[in-house]
Structures are given as C-alpha cells and as structure tokens.
Amino acid sequence: MTKIQKAVQNQDGVSNVKVLFNAGKVRADIDESKTSAEKLSKVITDLGYEVLKTKVKELA
C-alpha cells in the first residue's frame, strides 16, 4: 500500500493520494495539464499490480 501511495504521490501534478487496499482502489487529485489517469495506471502496473479500470471525476 505504501509503495503504491509513494509512487503515485511522487508523480508531477498529483496530490491527496489515498490507497484503499481492501477495496482495490487508488484515489488521487490530479492536475490534468501535468499528468493523466493513464500515466498513473502505468506507474501502478510497473509496480506489479493490475489496473482493471480508471475513472476520472471532474471537479465542480
């Protein structure tokens, strides 16, 4: 869990990372001008974890 959190958190444009390990989810606030959900998915898969889907919510 900490490994995933640190890897995602260290990406440019990422803040407020929460890893919900039991639910199999990672939540983070991202600046889409600096990174994307696809790039963060690659970071997680490079650690050896499978990413089944990504979901991006727009802030109001």
Side-chain angles (χ1 to χ4, degrees):
M1 179 170 103
T2 303
K3 183 164 67 168
I4 295 171
Q5 184 171 349
K6 285 184 180 179
V8 172
Q9 197 167 303
N10 286 336
Q11 302 303 304
D12 192 32
V14 177
S15 62
N16 299 324
V17 178
K18 287 186 181 179
V19 177
L20 308 168
F21 203 77
N22 290 338
K25 296 181 180 181
V26 176
R27 292 188 179 163
D29 294 337
I30 64 171
D31 179 345
E32 291 189 83
S33 68
K34 296 181 180 179
T35 194
S36 67
E38 290 77 24
K39 287 180 184 176
L40 298 181
S41 292
K42 181 166 176 11
V43 168
I44 294 169
T45 56
D46 287 348
L47 292 173
Y49 297 95
E50 185 178 12
V51 176
L52 299 177
K53 66 179 180 176
T54 60
K55 182 177 175 182
V56 177
K57 287 186 181 180
E58 297 293 324
L59 296 177

Coordinates of all heavy atoms in Angstrom, one line a residue:
M1 N 0.8 -1.2 0.0 CA 0.0 0.0 0.0 C 0.9 1.2 0.0 O 0.7 2.1 -0.8 CB -0.9 0.0 1.2 CG -1.8 1.2 1.3 SD -3.1 1.0 2.6 CE -2.4 2.0 3.8
T2 N 1.9 1.3 0.9 CA 2.7 2.5 1.0 C 3.5 2.6 -0.3 O 3.8 3.7 -0.8 CB 3.7 2.3 2.2 OG1 2.9 2.2 3.3 CG2 4.6 3.6 2.3
K3 N 3.9 1.5 -0.9 CA 4.7 1.5 -2.2 C 3.9 2.2 -3.3 O 4.4 3.1 -4.0 CB 5.1 0.1 -2.6 CG 6.0 0.1 -3.8 CD 6.7 -1.3 -3.9 CE 5.8 -2.4 -4.2 NZ 6.5 -3.6 -4.6
I4 N 2.6 1.8 -3.4 CA 1.7 2.4 -4.4 C 1.5 3.9 -4.1 O 1.6 4.7 -5.0 CB 0.4 1.7 -4.5 CG1 0.5 0.3 -4.9 CG2 -0.6 2.4 -5.4 CD1 -0.7 -0.6 -4.8
Q5 N 1.2 4.2 -2.9 CA 1.0 5.6 -2.5 C 2.2 6.5 -2.8 O 2.0 7.6 -3.4 CB 0.6 5.7 -1.0 CG 0.2 7.1 -0.6 CD -0.3 7.1 0.8 OE1 -0.6 6.1 1.4 NE2 -0.5 8.3 1.4
K6 N 3.4 6.1 -2.4 CA 4.5 6.9 -2.7 C 4.8 7.0 -4.1 O 5.2 8.1 -4.6 CB 5.8 6.3 -1.9 CG 5.7 6.5 -0.5 CD 7.0 6.0 0.2 CE 6.9 6.3 1.7 NZ 8.1 5.8 2.4
A7 N 4.7 6.0 -4.9 CA 4.9 6.0 -6.3 C 4.0 7.0 -7.1 O 4.4 7.8 -7.9 CB 4.8 4.6 -7.0
V8 N 2.7 6.9 -6.7 CA 1.7 7.8 -7.3 C 1.9 9.3 -6.9 O 1.9 10.2 -7.6 CB 0.3 7.3 -7.0 CG1 -0.8 8.3 -7.5 CG2 0.0 6.0 -7.7
Q9 N 2.2 9.4 -5.6 CA 2.3 10.7 -5.0 C 3.6 11.5 -5.5 O 3.6 12.7 -5.6 CB 2.5 10.5 -3.5 CG 2.3 11.7 -2.6 CD 2.3 11.3 -1.1 OE1 1.4 10.5 -0.8 NE2 3.1 11.8 -0.3
N10 N 4.6 10.7 -5.9 CA 5.8 11.3 -6.5 C 5.7 11.8 -7.9 O 6.6 12.4 -8.5 CB 7.0 10.4 -6.4 CG 7.5 10.2 -4.9 OD1 7.3 11.1 -4.1 ND2 8.1 9.1 -4.6
Q11 N 4.5 11.5 -8.5 CA 4.3 12.0 -9.9 C 3.9 13.5 -9.9 O 3.2 13.9 -9.1 CB 3.2 11.2 -10.6 CG 3.5 9.7 -10.6 CD 4.8 9.3 -11.3 OE1 5.0 9.7 -12.5 NE2 5.7 8.7 -10.6
D12 N 4.5 14.2 -10.9 CA 4.2 15.6 -11.0 C 2.7 15.8 -11.3 O 2.1 15.1 -12.1 CB 5.0 16.2 -12.2 CG 5.0 17.7 -12.2 OD1 4.9 18.3 -11.1 OD2 5.1 18.3 -13.3
G13 N 2.1 16.7 -10.5 CA 0.7 17.1 -10.7 C -0.3 16.2 -9.9 O -1.5 16.3 -10.1
V14 N 0.2 15.4 -8.9 CA -0.6 14.6 -8.1 C -0.6 15.0 -6.7 O 0.4 15.4 -6.1 CB -0.1 13.1 -8.2 CG1 -0.9 12.2 -7.3 CG2 -0.1 12.6 -9.6
S15 N -1.8 15.0 -6.1 CA -1.9 15.4 -4.6 C -3.0 14.5 -4.0 O -3.8 13.9 -4.7 CB -2.2 16.8 -4.4 OG -3.4 17.2 -5.1
N16 N -3.1 14.5 -2.7 CA -4.2 13.8 -1.9 C -4.4 12.4 -2.4 O -5.5 12.0 -2.7 CB -5.5 14.6 -2.1 CG -5.4 16.0 -1.5 OD1 -4.7 16.2 -0.5 ND2 -6.1 16.9 -2.1
V17 N -3.3 11.6 -2.3 CA -3.4 10.2 -2.7 C -3.9 9.4 -1.5 O -3.4 9.5 -0.4 CB -2.0 9.7 -3.1 CG1 -2.1 8.2 -3.5 CG2 -1.4 10.5 -4.3
K18 N -4.9 8.5 -1.8 CA -5.4 7.6 -0.8 C -5.4 6.2 -1.5 O -6.0 6.1 -2.6 CB -6.8 7.9 -0.4 CG -6.9 9.1 0.5 CD -8.3 9.3 1.0 CE -8.3 10.6 1.9 NZ -9.7 10.8 2.4
V19 N -4.8 5.2 -0.9 CA -4.9 3.9 -1.4 C -5.9 3.1 -0.5 O -5.7 3.0 0.7 CB -3.5 3.2 -1.3 CG1 -3.6 1.7 -1.8 CG2 -2.5 4.0 -2.2
L20 N -6.9 2.6 -1.1 CA -8.0 1.8 -0.4 C -7.7 0.4 -0.8 O -8.3 -0.2 -1.7 CB -9.4 2.3 -0.8 CG -9.6 3.8 -0.7 CD1 -10.9 4.2 -1.4 CD2 -9.6 4.2 0.8
F21 N -6.7 -0.3 -0.1 CA -6.2 -1.6 -0.5 C -7.3 -2.6 -0.5 O -7.4 -3.4 -1.4 CB -5.0 -2.0 0.4 CG -4.1 -3.0 -0.3 CD1 -3.3 -2.6 -1.3 CD2 -4.2 -4.3 0.0 CE1 -2.4 -3.5 -1.9 CE2 -3.4 -5.2 -0.6 CZ -2.5 -4.8 -1.6
N22 N -8.1 -2.7 0.6 CA -9.2 -3.7 0.7 C -10.2 -3.6 -0.4 O -10.8 -4.6 -0.9 CB -9.8 -3.7 2.1 CG -8.9 -4.2 3.1 OD1 -8.0 -4.9 2.9 ND2 -9.2 -3.8 4.4
A23 N -10.4 -2.3 -0.9 CA -11.4 -2.1 -1.9 C -10.7 -2.2 -3.3 O -11.4 -2.2 -4.3 CB -12.0 -0.7 -1.8
G24 N -9.4 -2.2 -3.3 CA -8.6 -2.3 -4.6 C -8.7 -1.0 -5.4 O -8.7 -1.0 -6.6
K25 N -8.7 0.1 -4.6 CA -8.8 1.4 -5.3 C -7.7 2.4 -4.9 O -7.2 2.3 -3.8 CB -10.1 2.1 -5.0 CG -11.3 1.3 -5.5 CD -12.6 2.0 -5.1 CE -13.8 1.3 -5.6 NZ -15.1 2.0 -5.3
V26 N -7.4 3.3 -5.8 CA -6.5 4.4 -5.5 C -7.2 5.6 -5.9 O -7.7 5.7 -7.0 CB -5.1 4.2 -6.3 CG1 -4.3 5.4 -6.1 CG2 -4.4 3.0 -6.0
R27 N -7.2 6.6 -5.0 CA -7.8 7.9 -5.3 C -6.8 9.0 -5.2 O -6.0 8.9 -4.3 CB -9.0 8.2 -4.3 CG -10.1 7.3 -4.5 CD -11.3 7.7 -3.6 NE -12.4 6.8 -3.9 CZ -13.4 6.7 -3.1 NH1 -13.5 7.5 -2.0 NH2 -14.4 5.9 -3.3
A28 N -6.8 9.9 -6.1 CA -5.9 11.0 -6.1 C -6.4 12.2 -6.9 O -7.2 12.0 -7.8 CB -4.6 10.5 -6.8
D29 N -6.0 13.4 -6.4 CA -6.3 14.6 -7.2 C -5.2 14.8 -8.2 O -4.0 14.7 -7.8 CB -6.4 15.8 -6.2 CG -7.6 15.7 -5.3 OD1 -8.6 14.9 -5.6 OD2 -7.5 16.3 -4.2
I30 N -5.6 15.0 -9.4 CA -4.5 15.2 -10.4 C -4.7 16.5 -11.2 O -5.9 16.9 -11.4 CB -4.4 14.0 -11.4 CG1 -5.7 13.9 -12.3 CG2 -4.1 12.8 -10.7 CD1 -5.5 12.9 -13.4
D31 N -3.6 17.1 -11.6 CA -3.6 18.3 -12.5 C -3.5 17.7 -13.9 O -2.4 17.2 -14.3 CB -2.5 19.2 -12.1 CG -2.4 20.4 -13.0 OD1 -3.1 20.4 -14.1 OD2 -1.7 21.4 -12.7
E32 N -4.5 17.7 -14.7 CA -4.5 17.0 -16.0 C -3.6 17.7 -17.0 O -3.3 17.2 -18.0 CB -5.9 16.9 -16.5 CG -6.7 15.8 -15.7 CD -8.0 15.5 -16.3 OE1 -8.0 14.6 -17.2 OE2 -9.1 16.1 -15.9
S33 N -3.1 18.9 -16.7 CA -2.1 19.5 -17.5 C -0.7 19.0 -17.3 O 0.2 19.2 -18.1 CB -2.1 21.1 -17.3 OG -1.6 21.4 -16.0
K34 N -0.6 18.2 -16.2 CA 0.7 17.7 -15.9 C 0.8 16.1 -16.0 O 1.9 15.6 -16.2 CB 1.2 18.1 -14.5 CG 1.4 19.6 -14.4 CD 1.8 20.0 -13.0 CE 2.0 21.5 -12.9 NZ 2.4 21.9 -11.5
T35 N -0.3 15.5 -15.8 CA -0.4 14.0 -15.8 C -1.8 13.5 -16.2 O -2.6 14.3 -16.4 CB 0.1 13.4 -14.4 OG1 0.3 12.0 -14.6 CG2 -1.0 13.6 -13.3
S36 N -1.9 12.2 -16.3 CA -3.2 11.7 -16.6 C -3.5 10.4 -15.9 O -2.6 9.8 -15.3 CB -3.3 11.4 -18.2 OG -2.4 10.3 -18.5
A37 N -4.7 9.9 -15.9 CA -5.1 8.7 -15.3 C -4.3 7.5 -15.9 O -3.9 6.6 -15.2 CB -6.6 8.4 -15.3
E38 N -4.1 7.6 -17.2 CA -3.4 6.5 -17.9 C -1.9 6.5 -17.5 O -1.4 5.4 -17.3 CB -3.4 6.8 -19.4 CG -4.8 6.6 -20.0 CD -5.8 7.7 -19.8 OE1 -5.3 8.9 -19.6 OE2 -7.0 7.5 -19.8
K39 N -1.3 7.6 -17.3 CA 0.1 7.6 -16.8 C 0.2 7.0 -15.4 O 1.1 6.3 -15.1 CB 0.7 9.0 -16.8 CG 1.0 9.6 -18.2 CD 1.5 11.0 -18.1 CE 1.7 11.6 -19.5 NZ 2.1 13.0 -19.4
L40 N -0.8 7.4 -14.5 CA -0.8 6.8 -13.2 C -1.1 5.3 -13.2 O -0.5 4.6 -12.4 CB -1.8 7.5 -12.3 CG -1.5 9.0 -12.1 CD1 -2.6 9.6 -11.2 CD2 -0.1 9.3 -11.6
S41 N -1.9 4.8 -14.1 CA -2.1 3.4 -14.3 C -0.8 2.7 -14.6 O -0.5 1.6 -14.1 CB -3.2 3.1 -15.4 OG -4.4 3.6 -15.0
K42 N 0.0 3.3 -15.5 CA 1.2 2.7 -15.9 C 2.2 2.6 -14.7 O 2.9 1.6 -14.5 CB 1.9 3.5 -17.0 CG 3.2 2.8 -17.5 CD 3.7 3.4 -18.8 CE 5.0 2.8 -19.2 NZ 5.6 1.8 -18.5
V43 N 2.2 3.7 -13.8 CA 3.0 3.7 -12.6 C 2.7 2.5 -11.8 O 3.5 1.8 -11.3 CB 2.9 5.0 -11.9 CG1 3.5 4.9 -10.5 CG2 3.5 6.1 -12.6
I44 N 1.4 2.2 -11.6 CA 0.9 1.1 -10.7 C 1.2 -0.2 -11.4 O 1.7 -1.1 -10.7 CB -0.6 1.3 -10.4 CG1 -0.8 2.6 -9.6 CG2 -1.2 0.1 -9.7 CD1 -2.2 3.0 -9.4
T45 N 1.0 -0.4 -12.7 CA 1.3 -1.6 -13.3 C 2.8 -1.9 -13.3 O 3.2 -3.1 -13.2 CB 0.8 -1.7 -14.8 OG1 1.3 -0.6 -15.5 CG2 -0.8 -1.7 -14.8
D46 N 3.6 -0.9 -13.4 CA 5.1 -1.0 -13.3 C 5.5 -1.6 -12.0 O 6.6 -2.2 -11.9 CB 5.8 0.3 -13.7 CG 5.7 0.6 -15.1 OD1 5.3 -0.2 -16.0 OD2 6.1 1.8 -15.5
L47 N 4.7 -1.4 -11.0 CA 5.0 -1.9 -9.6 C 4.6 -3.4 -9.5 O 4.8 -4.0 -8.5 CB 4.3 -1.1 -8.5 CG 4.8 0.4 -8.3 CD1 3.8 1.1 -7.4 CD2 6.2 0.4 -7.8
G48 N 3.9 -3.9 -10.5 CA 3.5 -5.3 -10.5 C 2.0 -5.5 -10.1 O 1.6 -6.6 -9.9
Y49 N 1.2 -4.4 -10.1 CA -0.2 -4.5 -9.8 C -1.0 -4.4 -11.0 O -0.6 -3.7 -12.0 CB -0.6 -3.5 -8.8 CG 0.1 -3.6 -7.4 CD1 1.2 -2.9 -7.2 CD2 -0.4 -4.5 -6.5 CE1 1.9 -3.0 -5.9 CE2 0.2 -4.6 -5.2 CZ 1.4 -3.9 -5.0 OH 2.0 -4.0 -3.8
E50 N -2.2 -5.0 -11.1 CA -3.1 -4.9 -12.2 C -4.1 -3.8 -12.1 O -4.6 -3.6 -11.0 CB -3.8 -6.3 -12.4 CG -4.7 -6.4 -13.6 CD -5.4 -7.7 -13.7 OE1 -5.4 -8.5 -12.8 OE2 -5.9 -8.0 -14.8
V51 N -4.2 -3.0 -13.1 CA -5.2 -1.9 -13.1 C -6.4 -2.4 -14.0 O -6.2 -2.6 -15.2 CB -4.6 -0.6 -13.6 CG1 -5.7 0.5 -13.7 CG2 -3.5 -0.2 -12.7
L52 N -7.5 -2.6 -13.4 CA -8.7 -3.1 -14.2 C -9.4 -2.0 -15.0 O -9.9 -2.2 -16.1 CB -9.6 -3.8 -13.3 CG -9.1 -5.1 -12.6 CD1 -10.1 -5.7 -11.7 CD2 -8.6 -6.1 -13.6
K53 N -9.5 -0.8 -14.3 CA -10.2 0.3 -15.0 C -9.8 1.6 -14.3 O -9.3 1.6 -13.2 CB -11.7 0.2 -15.0 CG -12.3 0.2 -13.6 CD -13.8 0.1 -13.7 CE -14.5 0.1 -12.4 NZ -15.9 0.1 -12.4
T54 N -10.0 2.7 -15.0 CA -9.7 4.0 -14.4 C -11.0 4.8 -14.6 O -11.8 4.6 -15.5 CB -8.6 4.8 -15.2 OG1 -8.9 4.9 -16.5 CG2 -7.3 4.0 -15.0
K55 N -11.2 5.7 -13.6 CA -12.3 6.6 -13.6 C -11.9 8.0 -13.2 O -11.2 8.1 -12.2 CB -13.4 6.0 -12.6 CG -14.6 6.8 -12.5 CD -15.6 6.1 -11.6 CE -16.8 6.8 -11.3 NZ -17.7 6.1 -10.4
V56 N -12.3 9.0 -14.0 CA -11.9 10.4 -13.7 C -13.1 11.2 -13.4 O -14.0 11.2 -14.3 CB -11.1 11.0 -14.9 CG1 -10.7 12.4 -14.6 CG2 -9.8 10.2 -15.2
K57 N -13.2 11.8 -12.3 CA -14.3 12.7 -11.9 C -13.8 14.1 -12.1 O -12.8 14.5 -11.6 CB -14.7 12.4 -10.5 CG -15.5 11.2 -10.2 CD -16.0 11.1 -8.8 CE -16.7 9.9 -8.5 NZ -17.2 9.9 -7.1
E58 N -14.6 14.9 -12.8 CA -14.4 16.3 -12.9 C -14.8 17.0 -11.6 O -15.8 16.7 -11.1 CB -15.1 16.9 -14.1 CG -14.7 16.3 -15.4 CD -13.3 16.7 -15.8 OE1 -12.8 17.8 -15.5 OE2 -12.6 15.8 -16.4
L59 N -14.0 18.0 -11.2 CA -14.4 18.7 -10.0 C -15.3 19.8 -10.4 O -15.2 20.4 -11.5 CB -13.1 19.4 -9.4 CG -12.1 18.4 -8.8 CD1 -10.9 19.1 -8.3 CD2 -12.7 17.5 -7.7
A60 N -16.3 20.1 -9.6 CA -17.3 21.1 -9.9 C -16.8 22.5 -9.8 O -15.8 22.8 -9.1 CB -18.5 20.9 -8.9

